[in-house]
């Protein structure tokens, strides 16, 4: 596979792509729901992946009903998540190697996430300083699946969005990156690559090691 245009910059999603947090949140939500005698199918959670907080909340409120006490539910879920991640979030396979390769190639890179800056600070740890820009909730008008996070990231990097590679694990993230005009690569985590995703992406990569190999081959 070759890239349709020369690559000038790279924009990463965070949760489920750089760090293995989606599974932690999923398990916490399913556990809290179970303890409360609530039926919460995993399919409902998967609809939330990649969305900003308010949109995710709307998904499970639609499932549980308008009278659902979401504040107490969320508080319990996030207590579990923070306890699980207290020792630090686990980096996904190939993160450090890919960042090293981007540095070697002289390509700037940024994060465009639906999470807050506080969450980014807590989860990215020492690798956060490697990114030229961190675009998080509050930095853009509309969250994913709208293109705004990726457009802001490209502007911060001083790159045309069409010359950027976007790396995403979620369907909503892929939709956002494609809408921004970026060369989008999906690296699936909890969500599989559907026919829609294949149509929106230039390729589907199994790991970030595969992305590193693609970029290396492009610059060879």
């Amino acid at each position: 596979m070759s890239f349709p245009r020369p690559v000038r910059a790279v924009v990463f999603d965070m949760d489920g792509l750089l760090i293995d947090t989606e599974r932690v949140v999923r398990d916490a939500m399913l556990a809290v729901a179970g303890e409360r005698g609530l039926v919460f199918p995993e399919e409902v959670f998967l609809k939330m992946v990649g969305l900003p907080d308010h949109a995710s909340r709307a998904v499970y409120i639609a499932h549980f009903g308008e009278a659902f006490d979401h504040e107490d539910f969320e508080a319990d879920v996030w207590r579990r998540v923070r306890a699980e991640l207290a020792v630090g979030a686990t980096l996904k396979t190939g993160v450090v190697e890919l960042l090293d390769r981007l540095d070697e190639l002289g390509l700037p890179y940024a994060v465009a996430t639906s999470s807050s800056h506080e969450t980014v600070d807590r989860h990215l740890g020492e690798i956060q300083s490697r990114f030229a820009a961190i675009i998080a909730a509050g930095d853009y008008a509309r969250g994913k699946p709208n293109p705004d996070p990726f457009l802001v990231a490209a502007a911060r990097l001083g790159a045309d969005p069409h010359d950027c590679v976007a790396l995403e694990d979620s369907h909503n993230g892929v939709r956002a990156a494609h809408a921004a005009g970026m060369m989008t690569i999906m690296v699936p985590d909890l969500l599989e690559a559907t026919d829609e995703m294949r149509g929106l992406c230039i390729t589907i990569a199994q790991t970030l090691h595969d992305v590193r190999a693609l970029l290396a081959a492009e610059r060879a």
Side-chain angles (χ1 to χ4, degrees):
M1 188 219 84
S2 60
F3 290 89
R5 297 176 294 280
V7 178
R8 305 299 185 197
V10 178
V11 182
F12 291 79
D13 175 47
M14 184 179 74
D15 295 292
L17 181 86
L18 289 172
I19 50 176
D20 195 14
T21 47
E22 298 288 16
R23 287 178 174 78
V24 175
V25 176
R26 176 199 62 189
D27 293 348
M29 294 193 82
L30 294 178
V32 170
E35 290 173 356
R36 297 177 180 218
L38 301 170
V39 177
F40 186 46
E42 184 176 3
E43 290 74 18
V44 176
F45 173 80
L46 293 178
K47 293 178 183 178
M48 300 162 52
V49 175
L51 294 175
D53 286 348
H54 72 278
S56 293
R57 186 175 299 117
V59 170
Y60 67 76
I61 287 178
H63 173 73
F64 289 127
E66 290 295 331
F68 181 66
D69 186 355
H70 68 85
E71 292 183 355
D72 184 60
F73 179 77
E74 287 183 12
D76 203 355
V77 167
W78 288 109
R79 274 194 294 270
R80 287 174 175 267
V81 171
R82 284 192 292 270
E84 179 71 21
L85 299 176
V87 295
T90 302
L91 289 178
K92 298 283 285 187
T93 300
V95 170
V96 173
E97 293 86 347
L98 176 53
L99 298 185
D100 288 345
R101 179 56 55 86
L102 293 177
D103 289 341
E104 292 170 3
L105 296 173
L107 292 174
Y109 45 93
V111 168
T113 178
S114 297
S115 294
S116 66
H117 278 284
E118 179 185 3
T119 299
V120 173
D121 292 342
R122 187 165 58 244
H123 290 172
L124 279 189
E126 62 184 20
I127 72 164
Q128 181 176 347
S129 62
R130 300 189 63 172
F131 292 87
I134 303 291
I135 309 305
D139 294 331
Y140 41 79
R142 302 174 301 166
K144 302 172 186 178
N146 297 292
D148 302 34
F150 289 99
L151 294 175
V152 173
R156 295 276 185 91
L157 293 174
D160 187 314
H162 292 83
D163 296 331
C164 295
V165 167
L167 303 176
E168 267 286 356
D169 68 289
S170 75
H171 295 174
N172 287 309
V174 167
R175 293 175 185 126
H178 178 77
M182 295 191 175
M183 296 175 279
T184 307
I185 298 175
M186 183 178 182
V187 186
D189 182 40
L190 296 183
L191 292 166
E192 296 181 358
T194 62
D195 287 343
E196 179 198 1
M197 295 300 106
R198 294 186 189 93
L200 298 178
C201 293
I202 60 171
T203 192
I204 307 297
Q206 295 308 305
T207 71
L208 293 177
H209 285 306
D210 297 331
V211 177
R212 177 172 57 88
L214 288 171
L215 287 166
E218 181 69 12
R219 288 298 188 95

